[in-house]
């Protein structure tokens, strides 16, 4: 999640746990510690793929953060001027502030290495977009009320309750979308194919489904207000034949570990050479994927892995017209926007739209 949201969440937890004892200081400490895990973005690993895949790594580990919380609790119990706060209370204060940061991140598409240093796939249960104004607003309003009224604990507790209700609604919406798309996948023989369902930018009303199927993948936009309208799958090209040379490089293997099957490949002429590029299609939006990486160049009819990968800047961004069409589609207007409306023609398999 964005830094403002993480700071607001940490501040609300701090106020709810020790607001009665520390007052506004609990909010301030919570806000600072709530953003602490994201300081790993300042680390440069010297490689574009490493910089992306190492983010939300050690600094988001439940093991590391619990250990840090324990250390802070011991120091506070020993040196803090307020002696009435017990060690268990300090421990709950620091632990809840720190570990809720990666747990919230794990509810987004990007994934979080909750069990670092164990070499397991990043945890991701996407039910919320990385920036969701409604979720953040509930926390900010509660914090503002607490700071003004000095009823810090009560206000922060209510903010957390409302934000948790919002996440519950998001989880319920996702279950609804899963039930709607299941018959479509069954009819197309895709019920066992890798499937990713996630909210579109800034809301939990409109959801994006991505289905992988060999050299093709399918995109679908589904709103909770679609009623009896059945989802449609739009076929796109993945260029799976280029996957083998990608996996020959350490960066390619790392990217495949990070993104799983949700990668698209292309060969593009760059700096006078044919260059192999991989794109993580989970992140962003069809036509607006920000994470693309150079991994190899064509040398004498064979792909040679690059020593250092580079991130390829996207030439497009989401415009206001796109956002307005997303809003219309979220409201249930099925003609407002298709998932592949902004995808280049060369990525489209056919203009056929598969329906139940």
């Amino acid at each position: 999640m964005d830094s403002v949201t993480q700071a607001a969440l940490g501040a609300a937890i701090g106020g709810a746990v020790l607001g009665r004892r520390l007052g506004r200081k609990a909010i301030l400490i919570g806000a600072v510690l709530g953003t602490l895990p994201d300081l790993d973005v300042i680390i440069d690993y010297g490689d574009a793929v490493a910089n992306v895949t190492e983010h939300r790594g050690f600094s988001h580990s439940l093991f590391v953060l619990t250990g840090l919380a324990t250390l802070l609790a011991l120091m506070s119990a020993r040196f803090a001027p307020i002696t009435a706060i017990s060690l268990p209370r300090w421990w709950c204060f620091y632990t809840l502030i720190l570990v809720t940061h990666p747990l919230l991140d794990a509810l987004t598409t990007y994934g979080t290495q909750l069990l670092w240093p164990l070499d397991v796939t990043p945890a991701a249960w996407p039910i919320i977009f990385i920036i969701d104004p409604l979720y953040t607003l509930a926390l900010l309003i509660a914090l503002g009320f607490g700071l003004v009224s000095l009823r810090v604990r009560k206000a922060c507790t209510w903010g957390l309750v409302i934000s948790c209700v919002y996440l519950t609604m998001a989880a319920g919406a996702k279950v609804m979308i899963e039930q709607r798309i299941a018959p479509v996948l069954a009819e197309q023989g895709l019920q066992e194919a890798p499937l990713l369902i996630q909210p579109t930018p800034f809301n939990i009303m409109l959801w994006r489904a991505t289905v992988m199927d060999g050299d093709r993948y399918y995109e679908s936009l589904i709103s909770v207000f679609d009623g009896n309208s059945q989802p449609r799958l739009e076929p796109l090209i993945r260029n799976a034949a280029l996957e083998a040379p990608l996996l020959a490089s350490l960066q390619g293997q790392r990217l495949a570990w990070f993104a799983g099957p949700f990668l698209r490949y292309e060969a593009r002429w760059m700096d006078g050479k044919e260059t192999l590029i991989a794109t993580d299609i989970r992140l962003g939006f069809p036509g607006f994927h920000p994470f693309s990486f150079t991994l190899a160049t064509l040398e004498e009819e064979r792909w040679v892995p690059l020593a250092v990968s580079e991130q390829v800047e996207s030439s497009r961004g989401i415009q206001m017209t796109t956002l307005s069409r997303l809003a219309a589609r979220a409201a249930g207007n099925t003609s407002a926007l298709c998932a592949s409306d902004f995808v280049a023609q060369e990525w489209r398999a056919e203009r056929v739209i598969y329906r139940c």
Side-chain angles (χ1 to χ4, degrees):
M1 296 294 288
D2 63 282
S3 297
V4 173
T5 302
Q6 292 289 12
L9 176 61
I13 291 173
V17 177
L18 284 182
R20 182 174 296 174
R21 300 289 180 83
L22 298 181
R24 292 170 177 169
K25 290 181 181 179
I27 290 178
L28 178 60
I29 295 172
V32 173
L33 291 180
T35 60
L36 183 64
D38 279 340
L39 291 181
D40 67 333
V41 297
I42 68 176
I43 302 174
D44 185 2
Y45 292 92
D47 181 88
V49 170
N51 285 340
V52 169
T53 60
E54 294 290 350
H55 177 48
R56 295 189 182 177
F58 75 92
S59 68
H60 287 61
S61 168
L62 297 181
F63 302 128
V64 172
L65 293 177
T66 302
L68 176 59
T70 302
L71 177 61
L72 291 173
L74 290 171
M75 292 176 62
S76 297
R78 176 68 178 83
F79 299 110
I82 302 178
T83 58
I85 302 176
S86 66
L87 175 60
R89 193 78 171 180
W90 278 119
W91 188 85
C92 288
F93 176 73
Y94 289 120
T95 301
L96 288 175
I97 291 172
L98 289 170
V99 303
T100 51
H101 179 122
L103 291 176
L104 180 60
D105 278 345
L107 300 182
T108 67
T109 304
Y110 193 97
T112 309
Q113 298 176 54
L114 296 178
L115 301 180
W116 185 95
L118 301 180
D119 189 22
V120 296
T121 305
W125 307 288
I127 61 172
I128 190 169
F129 192 68
I130 56 172
I131 301 175
D132 192 309
L134 288 180
Y135 177 84
T136 307
L137 191 61
L139 294 172
L140 291 178
I141 291 176
L143 290 171
F145 184 80
L147 290 171
V148 172
S149 66
L150 297 183
R151 297 180 179 179
V152 174
R153 185 179 183 185
K154 183 176 182 180
C156 289
T157 300
W158 272 107
L160 291 172
V161 169
I162 294 172
S163 64
C164 287
V165 169
Y166 185 80
L167 291 179
T168 303
M169 292 171 57
K174 182 173 183 177
V175 171
M176 180 190 303
I177 300 304
E178 291 173 341
Q179 293 173 344
R180 286 186 181 175
I181 200 172
V184 181
L185 299 177
E187 179 158 319
Q188 299 301 324
L190 297 171
Q191 62 268 38
E192 300 299 326
L195 169 67
L196 174 65
I197 297 177
Q198 59 179 309
T200 56
F202 318 130
N203 76 105
I204 59 171
M205 298 295 104
L206 181 63
W207 295 72
R208 171 192 168 208
T210 305
V211 189
M212 309 306 292
D213 183 32
D215 193 45
R216 292 185 178 186
Y217 68 100
Y218 301 86
E219 293 277 1
S220 182
L221 290 178
I222 311 166
S223 170
V224 297
F225 299 116
D226 280 351
N228 295 325
S229 178
Q230 296 175 335
R232 53 187 181 183
L233 300 179
E234 303 174 74
L236 302 170
I237 293 294
R238 181 170 172 255
N239 281 338
L242 295 173
E243 184 174 31
L246 174 142
L247 295 178
S249 68
L250 293 178
Q251 295 97 329
Q253 294 170 20
R254 177 74 180 180
L255 193 58
W257 168 83
F258 178 69
F262 298 95
L263 289 170
R264 188 185 70 193
Y265 313 99
E266 64 178 302
R268 187 186 304 178
W269 192 259
M270 295 180 62
D271 299 326
K273 291 184 178 181
E274 195 78 3
T275 304
L276 177 62
I277 296 173
T279 297
D280 187 341
I281 59 175
R282 301 172 305 158
L283 307 172
F285 190 77
F288 307 98
H289 299 298
F291 293 105
S292 295
F293 306 93
T294 62
L295 295 173
T297 56
L298 192 61
E299 307 282 351
E300 298 179 354
E301 303 301 320
R302 69 185 186 91
W303 290 106
V304 177
L306 293 170
V308 178
S309 66
E310 296 181 1
Q311 187 169 345
V312 180
E313 296 295 332
S314 176
S315 59
R316 306 176 65 184
I318 299 181
Q319 307 296 324
M320 289 303 299
T321 53
T322 305
L323 293 177
S324 63
R325 295 176 69 185
L326 276 172
R329 182 66 189 86
N333 184 349
T334 57
S335 63
L337 187 67
C338 293
S340 64
D341 274 357
F342 303 97
V343 177
Q345 182 64 43
E346 60 264 26
W347 292 112
R348 295 173 183 152
E350 294 109 4
R351 291 307 297 156
V352 176
I353 298 205
Y354 293 84
R355 299 177 184 270
C356 270

